[in-house]
Amino acid sequence: DDKPESDDKWWANLTDEEQIAANGLCYFRENWDQTDMNPNPGYFPHPLPAFRYVPWRELSADVRRTAREGLGYIRETWNAVDSNPLEASDTFFDLNLEQQAAAQDLGFYPHTWDCHMNHFNSFYWNGFYGDAKVAVETLGWTAVSWDY
């Protein structure tokens, strides 16, 4: 396993520099440690899609229908961030056109999906640039370990 050391750390064990880098990939303590769905009011490079952190039962019927029919969400996968396979495996542009339309209807756009839902996990190393590249490098990732 070629993952960097930071990948196995709890948020509190990350260095300040690693935490800032993780913020650059739209992680915060709760979603890094996978403890709950509370949004972070702090800085991210793209706006936090606050609606994504609203429990399923509190969503309108229209939003639930769009999430279910367009992106395959059910109560369990909506309420457990990172449990819908699309979140881990697909960049926004890897979604089919119907899924992209549903994501946009919910309020996502390419950068918010890739940052807050996928956390850039589906990017290839050569797809990183600017702050995102600095962030993954600060967390200890290399071209070899990222594309592994």
Side-chain angles (χ1 to χ4, degrees):
D1 194 355
D2 288 338
K3 292 191 244 178
E5 185 180 320
S6 65
D7 198 57
D8 290 324
K9 292 181 181 178
W10 290 101
W11 184 264
N13 299 114
L14 294 174
T15 66
D16 290 343
E17 186 178 33
E18 289 170 331
Q19 288 180 2
I20 291 168
N23 285 156
L25 299 173
C26 298
Y27 281 102
F28 48 93
R29 184 181 55 82
E30 287 83 3
N31 67 357
W32 182 272
D33 290 343
Q34 299 181 350
T35 55
D36 64 33
M37 293 175 33
N38 293 327
N40 178 21
Y43 169 79
F44 289 110
H46 306 292
L48 182 71
F51 65 87
R52 178 58 186 90
Y53 300 94
V54 173
W56 183 262
R57 73 180 182 283
E58 295 177 21
L59 298 172
S60 72
D62 287 341
V63 169
R64 287 195 308 266
R65 184 174 26 266
T66 299
R68 183 179 53 252
E69 293 174 4
L71 295 168
Y73 282 102
I74 58 174
R75 180 178 50 83
E76 291 80 6
T77 57
W78 183 267
N79 289 341
V81 175
D82 294 333
S83 65
N84 183 328
L86 289 177
E87 295 174 7
S89 63
D90 291 330
T91 68
F92 185 86
F93 292 111
D94 289 334
L95 300 173
N96 66 42
L97 293 178
E98 292 80 18
Q99 291 167 330
Q100 287 180 23
Q104 288 175 321
D105 287 346
L106 290 173
F108 288 108
Y109 62 93
H111 294 304
T112 57
W113 179 271
D114 292 343
C115 190
H116 292 285
M117 302 310 295
N118 183 260
H119 301 289
F120 301 100
N121 287 327
S122 295
F123 275 54
Y124 289 104
W125 185 260
N126 63 4
F128 285 115
Y129 60 91
D131 291 342
K133 185 161 188 170
V134 170
V136 293
E137 289 173 340
T138 300
L139 288 170
W141 292 99
T142 65
V144 171
S145 63
W146 187 266
D147 287 340
Y148 173 66

